[in-house]
Amino acid sequence: MSTFLWGTATAAYQIEGATAEDGRGTSIWDTFTHEPGRVRDGHTGDVACDHYHRTAEDIALMSGLGVNAYRFSISWPRVQPGGRTNDKGLGFYDRLVDDLLEAGVKPVPTLFHWDLPQELQDDGGWMNHNLPRRFADYAAVVADRLADRVETWITLNEPFVHMAYGYALGVHAPGQTLLLDALPTAHHQLLAHGLATQALRAAGAREILISNNCTPVWPASDRPEDLAAADAYDTLHNRLFNDPILTGAYPDLSAFGKQAPEDGLDVISTPIDGLGINYYNPTRITAPRQDLFPFDDAGITGYPTTGFGWPVVPDGLHELLTGLKQRYGQRLPPVYVTENGCSQPDTVSPDGTVDDPERIAYLDGHLAALMRARRDGVDVRGYFVWSLLDNFEWAEGYHQRFGLVHVDFATQRRTPKRSYHWLKDYLGHQ
């Protein structure tokens, strides 16, 4: 397990398609995308990249790239529709694991990447205090089938984003707008992580992570009110999901008029073997212009931007990684950058190539920042590019392309981009 993991990452709903095949149940994203006005241009993940039927082609792309790991997610509604174990759904991932291993690519599954079974949402979703136990049972089912061959597991992907976008602001499934009343979903997701970690460990899992979306937080000025606002945002985005796992205690939530829960911290802080970090950009914060939240996003200018308009700040990755080491010290386990990448409006040229110099510059800068963090003493053991394929990009539908491989969604034709070939050459020199 000491080998550095060079990989790409995907998520089930974003690439698999086959949403009504082989007994798969309905997820909250199936429901959300079929509600008018939820997703740009009415796009859905019904077909996506058709990865369910094209795994051999996609694994060949990984082999050609030269990665030694692949982070994918397992679809909970495919494995447990209606709460019943679906052997056909499990069988898909069983075969995927075998095929990856045969190709020399380490499988790194994520158990939850936002596609909650709809029937569990109907019962309250992550607002329901019973859901963590249901998640642990699901984890045990998957591990019983795969843990003999899968060493490294990720419990949850970006619980902050799922809470904020799915339950507080309503821009992602399940589309609820609870604002600060969504905070219980943080606690329940963290409890689910802890219980699943215990279930995975009992099944023989050797390495267990969680993937948290983290951001360096920059105050807009040295004014005390801006410093306080930045501290509040850092608490909500970063510390709320790292502190309980790594220190066994929640941060002070008084800036939000809330008191942190005290129950279950022994479960939440069950030891993990690594911390997954998803990094895209820093966040610049100012004092609020209204009273809803104790902060406002001030925006960042002066940097190149991605197709999403996100600032491209490679040094932010170095700042984030070294900042985690400074904050948690010996409590910080080995770190894996489990997502990092950029969207660009890529097109196939008449000669059949896809030229994406912005993505090459993005990867080059962020890999340099990662290596500098390693030299500065951060124990980073893996890097996963988001993403292998252009895919269904949540509320943006098919309008944001993050892939190293271009996908024509009408024909499913895959075309490796220049960045794919650049990264292949980079990995060949590692």
Side-chain angles (χ1 to χ4, degrees), residues 261-275:
E262 298 178 358
D263 64 297
L265 284 164
D266 56 333
V267 173
I268 293 170
S269 60
T270 299
I272 55 176
D273 305 289
L275 179 64

Side-chain angles (χ1 to χ4, degrees), residues 86-205:
N86 176 24
D87 190 66
K88 287 184 177 179
L90 265 176
F92 170 72
Y93 299 107
D94 202 353
R95 293 188 300 275
L96 177 61
V97 165
D98 283 346
D99 292 346
L100 288 166
L101 290 171
E102 185 176 354
V105 178
K106 179 177 181 175
V108 182
T110 301
L111 287 170
F112 180 70
H113 198 132
W114 305 350
D115 51 349
L116 187 71
Q118 181 61 47
E119 66 270 13
L120 296 180
Q121 182 59 42
D122 292 342
D123 202 26
W126 288 110
M127 292 294 290
N128 187 331
H129 68 277
N130 293 316
L131 189 52
R133 176 54 63 187
R134 295 287 298 272
F135 182 71
D137 293 343
Y138 153 67
V141 167
V142 176
D144 182 64
R145 185 70 168 259
L146 303 180
D148 59 328
R149 287 153 291 150
V150 173
E151 295 179 349
T152 303
W153 297 76
I154 298 172
T155 55
L156 306 176
N157 178 76
E158 297 186 345
F160 166 77
V161 177
H162 190 50
M163 174 190 75
Y165 283 11
Y167 287 87
L169 303 176
V171 296
H172 281 184
Q176 297 190 350
T177 53
L178 301 174
L179 301 177
L180 288 174
D181 288 339
L183 279 171
T185 66
H187 185 56
H188 295 155
Q189 287 184 87
L190 288 168
L191 279 172
H193 156 75
L195 291 169
T197 298
Q198 295 175 358
L200 290 168
R201 193 85 69 203

Side-chain angles (χ1 to χ4, degrees), residues 7 111 209 232 269 389 407:
L111 287 170
L209 291 67
S269 60
L389 305 167
V407 178

Side-chain angles (χ1 to χ4, degrees), residues 222-245:
D222 291 333
R223 295 185 308 152
E225 54 266 42
D226 284 345
L227 294 173
D231 184 67
Y233 188 77
D234 180 51
T235 295
L236 185 67
H237 192 132
N238 296 320
R239 295 186 59 196
L240 179 60
F241 294 92
N242 286 327
D243 282 16
I245 294 172

